[in-house]
Amino acid sequence: MIFNGIEKEYIRVTNELFRPPTPPVEFLTTPKLTGGDRVRKKSFTSAELTVPITITGNKRIEERKEELSTWLVHDQPKKLLFKDSPQRYYLALYHDMELEENYTFAKGHIRFYLPIACRFGEDKQIDIHSTFTSFPITGQIEVPWKSRTVFTNAESSFTFENDQGGMLRLNYGFIENDVLEIDYTKRGIRLNGENLAVALSLQSNWFWLKPGENTLRTNQPTTVMYTERFY
């Protein structure tokens, strides 16, 4: 187990570890007059992941606790991965730990909270231009994205769109070498490091990147970055 880029050599994950094949699914329902429920919406929820462990070595368990807390406790989620699947990771927050201690040996579990309970994969990027082009988005789940555009000439607007009705339009007098950065998750729009959210057109319709083929275009060469998500 590697958390926040660090592996503790005295901790071993035991064979009882269970990683669900999908995040939990939550259903929004309404009753049907004929009986039962109508599913109006379903979505993945957060989850907890319990990691069974043993601790061994020549140090008393009590002496390791400050080191463990420094390693585990953070304000923001950190990468959690397991060595049998190094190509996938979770974003996790430490929740708690329970141990049965016997001097230098302990057995128990660490419980992590997963705000987004999917597995994450590789960071990807695609280069988008002014004609609609199909791009394969890898992974199993739709993903947010970030973009970076360096203007090659002056423009009175910037547009990023797909062929399904998704579209972002910024109305602003851009000049050559302006650097525009957009963050879907934060709805952040920055030009040369300064906030430019005021330029967002009311006709804009933010959109995810969906797994499979996505047909996209921009009116200036733009690099779009995303991280693969898997159930």
Side-chain angles (χ1 to χ4, degrees):
M1 176 177 67
I2 301 172
F3 182 61
N4 193 29
I6 299 170
E7 180 181 12
K8 297 297 183 181
E9 75 284 352
Y10 52 82
I11 294 179
R12 185 176 72 87
V13 177
T14 66
N15 293 333
E16 291 81 10
L17 174 66
F18 173 68
R19 286 159 284 181
T22 71
V25 179
E26 183 175 68
F27 296 94
L28 177 64
T29 64
T30 55
K32 295 173 66 175
L33 295 177
T34 55
D37 290 333
R38 175 181 290 106
V39 176
R40 301 180 64 87
K41 182 181 179 182
K42 68 175 185 177
S43 58
F44 293 114
T45 69
S46 59
E48 289 188 344
L49 181 65
T50 300
V51 181
I53 62 166
T54 58
I55 299 177
T56 58
N58 55 13
K59 244 187 185 183
R60 290 193 310 119
I61 299 301
E62 190 62 34
E63 294 175 357
R64 295 194 186 275
K65 290 181 179 177
E66 288 187 10
E67 178 188 344
L68 287 170
S69 63
T70 299
W71 174 49
L72 291 168
V73 178
H74 302 278
D75 291 334
Q76 298 297 323
K78 303 297 180 181
K79 286 186 178 181
L80 170 66
L81 64 89
F82 299 94
K83 295 172 74 173
D84 64 344
S85 300
Q87 73 280 13
R88 302 284 183 264
Y89 65 90
Y90 298 96
L91 288 176
L93 288 162
Y94 168 75
H95 185 267
D96 65 10
M97 178 189 297
E98 291 185 10
L99 295 174
E100 295 178 6
E101 301 176 31
N102 185 8
Y103 197 59
T104 61
F105 174 84
K107 183 176 182 179
H109 66 258
I110 303 173
R111 189 158 53 221
F112 292 95
Y113 173 66
L114 311 177
I116 303 173
C118 64
R119 294 176 173 89
F120 294 85
E122 295 182 5
D123 294 332
K124 300 282 189 175
Q125 70 176 44
I126 52 179
D127 294 317
I128 303 173
H129 299 278
S130 59
T131 58
F132 269 129
T133 305
S134 181
F135 298 92
I137 302 301
T138 51
Q140 295 177 307
I141 306 174
E142 61 185 9
V143 293
W145 48 268
K146 294 180 181 179
S147 69
R148 187 174 191 271
T149 305
V150 179
F151 283 77
T152 58
N153 55 269
E155 291 275 11
S156 60
S157 66
F158 171 79
T159 303
F160 174 33
E161 60 184 322
N162 64 19
D163 64 345
Q164 303 296 311
M167 186 266 290
L168 265 70
R169 181 180 178 87
L170 305 177
N171 295 314
Y172 186 80
F174 298 99
I175 62 173
E176 185 178 357
N177 293 324
D178 270 348
V179 178
L180 175 66
E181 295 172 298
I182 302 176
D183 185 331
Y184 176 96
T185 300
K186 297 179 179 178
R187 297 297 197 266
I189 302 170
R190 304 190 75 82
L191 180 66
N192 304 322
E194 300 295 325
N195 187 0
L196 193 67
V198 67
L200 183 67
S201 167
L202 293 177
Q203 282 70 49
S204 294
N205 180 26
W206 292 84
F207 58 94
W208 297 76
L209 299 178
K210 297 185 177 182
E213 296 296 322
N214 287 238
T215 301
L216 308 166
R217 72 178 177 185
T218 57
N219 65 333
Q220 282 282 316
T222 296
T223 298
V224 171
M225 295 79 70
Y226 70 94
T227 301
E228 296 173 316
R229 293 186 180 188
F230 298 85
Y231 294 123

